[in-house]
Amino acid sequence: MDPGVQEGKLRTIIETYEAAAIASGTIIEVGQYLPKGVRVVEVCLMADALGAGVTLIVGDYEDNNRYIEESGTRKVNNQVQRLNAIAGRQYKVDETTPGDTTTDRQVIITTGGGAATGTIKIEITYVQE
């Protein structure tokens, strides 16, 4: 087992975003980059009833649904969505270019299905050596 996972420190990023009629396909950047070398343990997404048919996915600029995949029957309205993409569980962040928003270090939420209005909250828990 990677020593950074076995004896690492657990850390959490907590963000809130207020959506005001944002269009389907809007990308919301989570304010803090994931540090290089961390392993993602959990991602939780919570939201108001954002609008009819509105969906959310969570990933990064390399894979926009790396952590939470959207499916037709799963809407985030007034419930918690947990990390549900197998590739995202224990994903090791490996990009080396700080400040580059095209990397796996920048977590993004992408809207779909219609215009979204309401509160979106995300918690990203990771292990750092």
Side-chain angles (χ1 to χ4, degrees):
M1 181 179 286
D2 185 344
V5 173
Q6 188 172 2
E7 299 176 16
K9 294 180 181 174
L10 204 58
R11 301 185 185 277
T12 303
I13 297 171
I14 299 171
E15 294 280 336
T16 300
Y17 180 81
E18 292 297 331
I22 59 175
S24 177
T26 296
I27 293 174
I28 301 165
E29 293 183 337
V30 175
Q32 182 178 342
Y33 284 91
L34 292 170
K36 180 183 179 237
V38 304
R39 286 202 183 264
V40 177
V41 177
E42 184 63 270
V43 176
C44 290
L45 185 68
M46 296 126 310
D48 289 333
L50 300 173
V54 174
T55 59
L56 302 174
I57 58 175
V58 180
D60 54 51
Y61 279 106
E62 288 182 343
D63 182 352
N64 70 350
N65 65 351
R66 185 184 307 276
Y67 303 114
I68 295 180
E69 300 174 324
E70 179 272 325
S71 69
T73 60
R74 263 199 274 219
K75 308 290 188 254
V76 184
N77 300 341
N78 291 314
Q79 55 186 301
V80 175
Q81 281 280 43
R82 300 179 72 93
L83 190 150
N84 65 3
I86 190 67
R89 178 106 19 220
Q90 300 174 15
Y91 178 72
K92 185 173 184 178
V93 177
D94 60 3
E95 289 296 326
T96 58
T97 311
D100 182 355
T101 60
T102 63
T103 71
D104 61 356
R105 298 179 73 192
Q106 176 64 66
V107 175
I108 60 172
I109 302 167
T110 306
T111 65
T117 298
T119 303
I120 301 168
K121 295 185 177 191
I122 188 167
E123 297 173 3
I124 305 161
T125 304
Y126 60 90
V127 166
Q128 186 171 33
E129 203 171 324

